[in-house]
Amino acid sequence: MIARVRRVGIVGGGQLGRMLALAGHELGIECTTLDPSADSPAAAVAPAVTGSFDDLDGLAELAAGRDVVTYEFENVPVAAARSVEPMCPVLPPPAALEAAQDRLAEKRLFTAVGLAVPAYAAIDSLTSLEDAVERLGTPAVLKSRRLGYDGKGQAVIHDPLLAEDAWRSVGEVPCLLEAFVAFDRELSIVAVRGRDGVTGSYPLVENHHREGILRLTRAPAPGLEPEIQRAAETHADAIMTELGYVGVLAIELFQVGESLLGNEMAPRVHNSGHWTIEGAETSQFENHLRAICGLPLGATDAVGLSAMVNLIGAMPDPEAVLAVAGAHLHDYGKEPRPGRKLGHVTVRADDEPSLEHRLHRVLDSIDHAIDVP
Ligand code: AMP
């Protein structure tokens, strides 16, 4: 009889954990999550252990009886992830967490596999920042090396005289200073690698952020050039091979003309891949589980065109959203709070004019305005 891997522990019980658990349910894969909050979004749909991400007892409880442990959150302490390994495989490997948690390590990894990055300098003092501002010029973006996401721990320096303010605002911690890139657009690629080394990539998508938070994803990216897709896939494959990666990996990119620059990566399922639930042959959540469970990967082709809108701070009237043809509403069951991702809507269509029409109807039904270019 063939042994089935079907008990998965997920560190983190947010919406990503919830959508993983839902995808697992359909495949007969039982997911259990670990989260500090007893009423996390995932706890509403799957068994949950309550404990912090570095709580070794909680992690041991999560790992007990599981076939594999994964995570939905890239700031899981690496030591905590490694503490699980003697009990149960951890996938993606903790080396991927290590690379993703430090912007300098990430930039070096991208460079090592031939993915160009914005000009940057490592900063560990105000003096080194002032020197770097002089070399890279302004505007430039100061980013803390660790624990930054959704634009947090960042400051744009428009004037060299304001370097000190920026240094203080990010907390005087080790940083990177990056040249400000006048990109044409922001793209991301969601890729997946199985235990057997087989890889797949979803089409590149176009992302629009405001206040550092993803607002809108168009999938596939409009006017996507095949060479750019091929280049992004090659980079993703090289990064995954380098890390001995298993699971879904997302890489955020800047497109400048015909070139791509690597911004950052997330060793997990990603917000810019939510459209795959309805808009691709196999969702990123299912493919992540297939990968870590050693199952064959599913096709990553898009089914028609999709747009995904994040619902931030407030939920819309479901009736208004659901009245739009091709719209799918996802409610994460979270308490509304300003700036909080509460859900998303994916709208699908077979051609661009229909997609635009439906997307604008969805946006009209959401009361917080979003600028759609
Ligand atoms: P990050 O946390 O690195 O993803 O940055 C958040 C957002 O800030 C990105 O999605 C971009 O919109 C913007 N951004 C970050 N780095 C740069 C850069 N070097 N040049 C221009 N915009 C940037």
Side-chain angles (χ1 to χ4, degrees), residues 103 118 141 143 149-151 154 178-181 183 186 209 212 252 254 263-264:
R103 288 185 188 272
V141 193
K143 302 180 176 179
Y149 65 95
D150 282 351
Q154 295 192 19
E178 283 180 30
F180 195 85
V181 179
F183 49 75
E186 291 189 73
H209 297 85
E252 296 186 35
F254 299 138
N263 178 30
E264 62 179 3

Side-chain angles (χ1 to χ4, degrees), residues 15-319:
Q15 62 267 20
L16 301 178
R18 175 179 169 119
M19 288 185 272
L20 280 168
L22 291 170
H25 196 69
E26 293 186 344
L27 289 172
I29 294 171
E30 184 196 281
C31 294
T32 302
T33 58
L34 170 71
D35 197 88
S37 163
D39 61 353
S40 68
V45 304
V49 175
T50 305
S52 67
F53 303 129
D54 54 1
D55 165 7
L56 298 188
D57 292 340
L59 285 163
E61 191 183 336
L62 180 74
R66 306 287 144 225
D67 300 299
V68 58
V69 164
T70 190
Y71 40 89
E72 55 118 57
F73 171 66
E74 68 270 33
N75 288 325
V76 177
V78 175
R82 291 205 195 284
S83 78
V84 175
E85 283 188 304
M87 293 174 260
C88 178
V90 177
L91 295 173
L97 278 177
E98 214 157 18
Q101 284 175 5
D102 179 357
R103 288 185 188 272
L104 182 58
E106 198 174 64
K107 290 268 189 298
R108 287 181 173 151
L109 172 63
F110 288 176
T111 307
V113 302
L115 171 57
V117 298
Y120 72 93
I123 306 298
D124 54 15
S125 65
L126 177 57
T127 318
S128 63
L129 174 60
E130 286 167 345
D131 290 349
V133 168
E134 203 168 297
R135 261 182 297 126
L136 297 180
T138 53
V141 193
L142 184 65
K143 302 180 176 179
S144 64
R145 274 174 58 178
R146 294 183 167 276
L147 294 174
Y149 65 95
D150 282 351
K152 295 189 176 70
Q154 295 192 19
V156 179
I157 302 177
H158 292 282
D159 178 340
L161 294 174
L162 298 177
E164 185 167 354
D165 290 356
W167 176 241
R168 303 227 182 285
S169 80
V170 299
E172 303 178 54
V173 292
C175 283
L176 288 193
L177 184 72
E178 283 180 30
F180 195 85
V181 179
F183 49 75
D184 295 313
R185 59 179 177 172
E186 291 189 73
L187 301 173
S188 60
I189 187 155
V190 172
V192 58
R193 186 169 185 268
R195 283 191 175 198
D196 55 4
V198 171
T199 59
S201 291
Y202 291 93
L204 279 161
V205 299
E206 181 183 298
N207 299 319
H208 298 269
H209 297 85
R210 207 176 61 225
E211 288 145 14
I213 303 178
L214 180 67
R215 307 286 161 158
L216 170 72
T217 294
R218 290 178 198 272
L224 183 59
E225 302 85 351
E227 306 75 53
I228 301 245
Q229 176 71 28
R230 267 198 300 277
E233 286 182 14
T234 303
H235 294 315
D237 280 6
I239 290 168
M240 293 191 297
T241 303
E242 179 73 23
L243 293 169
Y245 200 87
V246 177
V248 161
L249 172 77
I251 308 170
E252 296 186 35
L253 303 154
F254 299 138
Q255 183 176 359
V256 186
E258 301 299 297
S259 326
L260 293 175
L261 295 178
N263 178 30
E264 62 179 3
M265 67 177 199
R268 54 168 171 80
V269 288
H270 194 254
N271 197 170
S272 71
H274 289 2
W275 66 276
T276 60
I277 296 175
E278 294 89 7
E281 198 70 52
T282 315
S283 82
Q284 63 165 348
F285 303 99
E286 178 172 340
N287 255 338
H288 182 73
L289 293 172
R290 288 192 191 207
I292 64 172
C293 292
L295 296 167
L297 302 182
T300 48
D301 309 85
V303 180
L305 308 175
S306 301
M308 189 283 312
V309 180
N310 269 339
L311 301 171
I312 296 165
M315 285 299 285
D317 172 6
E319 284 191 30

Side-chain angles (χ1 to χ4, degrees), residues 305-307 347-349 351-360:
L305 308 175
S306 301
V347 59
R348 261 192 18 80
D351 56 73
E352 259 179 61
S354 311
L355 183 69
E356 286 311 302
H357 176 73
R358 292 174 178 188
L359 172 60
H360 281 88

